[in-house]
Amino acid sequence: MNEDMPRKRPPFLSREKTRHGRHVWYFKRAGKRVRLPDEYGSKEFNEAYAVCLTGEKPLKIEPASSSLAWLVGRYKESNDFKSLRPSTRRMRDNVLKAACENAGKNSFAKITRKHIEEAMGRRKPHAANNFRKIMSRVFQWAVKQELLAINPCDSVDPVKAQTDGHHTWTIEQVEKYRKKHAVGTKARLALDLLLFVGLRRSDVVRVGKQHMKNGVISIRTEKTGSWVHVAVFSALQKSIDATETGDLAFLTTDWGQPFKSAASFGNWFRDRCNEAFLPIECRAHGLRKAGATIAADNGATVHELMAMYGWSKSSMAEVYTRESDKRRLARGAAERIANNV
């Protein structure tokens, strides 16, 4: 073997001989063929190979381009960011914009664990942990690009918050809403879809007639990418049939257009809750939790809940079945005491 041939060739490389007798290198993958600089192992060769492999050009940082805002801008141009789901990109973009408004002019190389912890301290627990997670992704990408030696978020612990998350609607609150918003109104259809199908806001604004076949709604969830298949029973079917819906989305705005985002739908739905004089904690996601609670209380198994709600891990479903089991066992114990005293 020739001395100039690599002993262990990186993937997707091929060495060919031209009609003039010269050896040249090509990057070949998925039908694409790119000519690389001739000198194997040179800086130019390695940079060109990296571009072909990752689709990203190596970043050359200048002294004037050392701010956090500059780094965030480069991260948002990367494949790491572009490959995220649209809803995830929007959420991260909002957090990153706020971070840049506060510290965008600061040098990202001088950001330490203390700075991250101070920023988290100015936020509520959930927002603090979300901030830490997103900034960690940015700095992790910077380390991969050799712009940083370490990720300052690695040694930062998440905030431990004593919270059950979104408020779970009670049966009384559901009935109060249903009494205010009759079948045939968009407000009632929104509640019925959230409760009976168990969709997140990001999915309930997309679901429409094209997702329903033979009495089953089938939709790939935006957050996890998993498919859910939920049977449409009479109460929901009656609500759909009685309501003026859109062509591609059951739920539309007052102007007959689909909601632009999950957030805009959430604000609209909160107004409908206000009309029913429900407490401020009653929000769209709480109906998803209410549905899971009702299903678990009536004997739904972990796998049944996972299938309906699109959870990939059993731990989420077990939250509901565990609480249901506790209530059932406590009732049994109390009944035994009552029957023997």
Side-chain angles (χ1 to χ4, degrees):
M1 186 172 67
N2 295 336
E3 293 182 358
D4 58 343
M5 286 288 287
R7 293 183 179 180
K8 188 176 181 181
R9 185 179 298 179
F12 311 115
L13 279 182
S14 65
R15 189 172 187 246
E16 302 177 13
K17 190 174 184 179
T18 69
R19 61 188 178 89
H20 300 294
R22 292 182 58 218
H23 286 93
V24 295
W25 290 95
Y26 286 94
F27 182 96
K28 299 171 66 176
R29 181 171 62 178
K32 294 183 179 180
R33 188 166 179 264
V34 179
R35 169 79 178 270
L36 299 176
D38 293 342
E39 187 179 350
Y40 178 85
S42 66
K43 180 180 178 182
E44 293 77 11
F45 181 97
N46 292 337
E47 288 185 354
Y49 176 78
V51 170
C52 292
L53 190 64
T54 66
E56 297 179 16
K57 296 182 179 180
L59 297 176
K60 296 182 179 180
I61 185 166
E62 302 295 336
S65 303
S66 60
S67 67
L68 176 63
W70 178 87
L71 180 68
V72 167
R74 304 294 76 71
Y75 167 71
K76 288 164 62 176
E77 294 171 355
S78 71
N79 289 339
D80 285 39
F81 184 79
K82 291 179 179 178
S83 62
L84 298 172
R85 293 186 178 87
S87 59
T88 304
R89 288 202 302 271
R90 287 194 297 269
M91 183 270 293
R92 288 195 183 183
D93 192 36
N94 289 334
V95 173
L96 293 173
K97 282 180 180 178
C100 289
E101 287 175 2
N102 184 57
K105 295 181 180 179
N106 296 347
S107 171
F108 66 82
K110 295 181 180 180
I111 294 176
T112 65
R113 179 190 68 181
K114 183 179 179 181
H115 293 129
I116 299 297
E117 290 175 340
E118 289 176 348
M120 291 174 64
R122 295 191 293 268
R123 293 167 168 81
K124 294 181 179 180
H126 177 74
N129 289 333
N130 198 37
F131 169 82
R132 169 186 171 273
K133 177 181 177 181
I134 293 171
M135 294 308 300
S136 181
R137 295 290 191 275
V138 175
F139 290 126
Q140 182 180 336
W141 175 82
V143 171
K144 186 172 67 175
Q145 295 294 317
E146 299 184 356
L147 298 174
L148 281 175
I150 61 172
N151 182 343
C153 295
D154 283 348
S155 56
V156 178
D157 295 325
V159 177
K160 294 181 179 180
Q162 298 296 326
T163 177
D164 294 328
H166 294 275
H167 165 72
T168 303
W169 287 48
T170 65
I171 296 297
E172 292 74 20
Q173 289 168 342
V174 171
E175 290 305 318
K176 190 174 182 180
Y177 184 102
R178 286 158 65 98
K179 186 176 181 180
K180 172 62 180 177
H181 301 292
V183 171
T185 63
K186 294 180 181 180
R188 177 61 171 270
L189 180 58
L191 177 133
D192 290 341
L193 286 169
L194 290 164
L195 184 62
F196 295 130
V197 187
L199 296 176
R200 297 181 181 87
R201 296 184 314 174
S202 56
D203 298 318
V204 81
V205 297
R206 298 187 299 116
V207 68
K209 298 174 183 176
Q210 69 275 16
H211 296 109
M212 191 162 67
K213 184 178 181 180
N214 298 326
V216 175
I217 286 179
S218 299
I219 187 170
R220 185 190 291 273
T221 61
E222 185 173 289
K223 183 175 181 179
T224 65
S226 60
W227 280 94
V228 294
H229 309 278
V230 183
V232 178
F233 292 102
S234 58
L236 177 57
Q237 188 64 61
K238 180 180 178 182
S239 184
I240 294 173
D241 293 341
T243 309
E244 182 181 352
T245 63
D247 294 331
L248 295 177
F250 287 133
L251 296 175
T252 58
T253 65
D254 294 337
W255 296 273
Q257 299 297 318
F259 287 92
K260 291 184 177 180
S261 67
S264 64
F265 166 75
N267 293 333
W268 174 86
F269 186 76
R270 180 55 240 173
D271 290 339
R272 307 292 80 77
C273 292
N274 289 340
E275 291 170 355
F277 299 102
L278 290 169
I280 189 66
E281 60 266 21
C282 286
R283 297 185 179 275
H285 191 79
L287 281 166
R288 177 177 163 89
K289 295 180 67 176
T293 300
I294 294 170
D297 286 346
N298 286 275
T301 67
V302 166
H303 287 93
E304 285 175 336
L305 291 175
M306 290 174 65
M308 177 171 179
Y309 291 95
W311 293 319
S312 58
K313 295 181 180 179
S314 61
S315 57
M316 285 297 298
E318 287 169 352
V319 170
Y320 297 94
T321 57
R322 186 164 53 246
E323 287 301 311
S324 178
D325 289 343
K326 284 168 62 177
R327 288 190 289 270
R328 177 177 54 80
L329 293 170
R331 178 181 177 83
E335 187 176 3
R336 285 177 174 79
I337 295 171
N339 291 339
N340 289 279
V341 174

